[in-house]
Amino acid sequence: MAKTANLLVDSLGSPERVGLLLPLHWQPVCLLLAGVATGATVVVARTPDDLAGCQAVFTTVEHAEAALDAGADDVLALSCHPLGARLPAVPALVSDYAVEVPGHGDHWGGGRAPGSVERDGAPVAVPAADLGPADRLLCGVPLREVGWVLAALRAGAAVVLAPDATTLDLPSLCASERVTATAGVDVDGLRRLDVPSSP
């Protein structure tokens, strides 16, 4: 998160609006927190059209050119590899996030008013969640439902991301990760937090 915050400020000129058009993955969560830390409004997009007005965009190679077409000054593509690996190639005028971020500092000094998170032109609400530092929340919701991740982090809980829960042995995963609650998936014996349907 600190490296990305420094990237946004030192290399990208402190954009006021930062777009994310990405699947659920640990990297987008870090990007979102970094954007908020720099005082930006972070737009969690569903389509490239949602990126209009964003000066910087983080997305996949698949959507990178559409992000440029939406008017972004800086587009950085992510591989969404589990270890954050570099991409084999990126389109013209697009940067590889995994190439750009390592040279930035590991410490973020802050000093800015926190930004906000937006979806569909409105602020993302952080839902009330009965979670605490001892909890571990399994999230099987799209990135657009990032309010649940933020709720868990605000409570000091840990988050276990399940981008495609249908491919996982959820009971075994929950046992090995010591999950205490879920959002977006059902697991026998664990309480599920209510997640509204995305529009």
Side-chain angles (χ1 to χ4, degrees):
M1 189 211 83
K3 283 183 178 292
T4 302
N6 286 314
L7 167 70
L8 286 167
V9 171
D10 297 338
S11 294
L12 304 184
S14 298
E16 293 182 4
R17 294 178 68 80
V18 175
L20 301 182
L21 180 54
L22 291 161
L24 183 67
H25 184 271
W26 66 266
Q27 283 184 310
V29 174
C30 290
L31 298 174
L32 184 144
L33 295 174
V36 170
T38 66
T41 297
V42 180
V43 177
V44 184
R46 178 170 40 186
T47 70
D49 290 343
D50 296 338
L51 300 170
C54 293
Q55 293 86 31
V57 169
F58 298 91
T59 188
T60 58
V61 168
E62 174 189 4
H63 296 298
E65 291 181 325
L68 288 169
D69 292 342
D73 297 324
D74 296 289
V75 175
L76 293 91
L78 285 77
S79 66
C80 289
H81 182 277
L83 299 178
R86 294 181 178 190
L87 290 157
V90 292
L93 305 178
V94 174
S95 300
D96 184 340
Y97 169 78
V99 173
E100 300 299 323
V101 78
H104 290 273
D106 292 327
H107 174 72
W108 169 249
R112 296 167 182 266
S116 59
V117 184
E118 190 178 283
R119 180 187 67 191
D120 299 326
V124 169
V126 179
D130 183 18
L131 297 169
D135 283 303
R136 295 174 64 82
L137 178 68
L138 174 69
C139 270
V141 295
L143 183 65
R144 285 172 52 78
E145 298 294 348
V146 73
W148 287 102
V149 174
L150 297 176
L153 296 177
R154 182 173 67 182
V159 180
V160 179
L161 301 178
D164 186 358
T166 62
T167 66
L168 301 172
D169 179 350
L170 290 179
S172 295
L173 174 67
C174 289
S176 65
E177 294 290 342
R178 304 185 312 281
V179 169
T180 61
T182 67
V185 292
D186 287 310
V187 179
D188 286 344
L190 295 175
R191 62 190 169 106
R192 175 178 171 151
L193 304 180
D194 291 328
V195 176
S197 299
S198 293

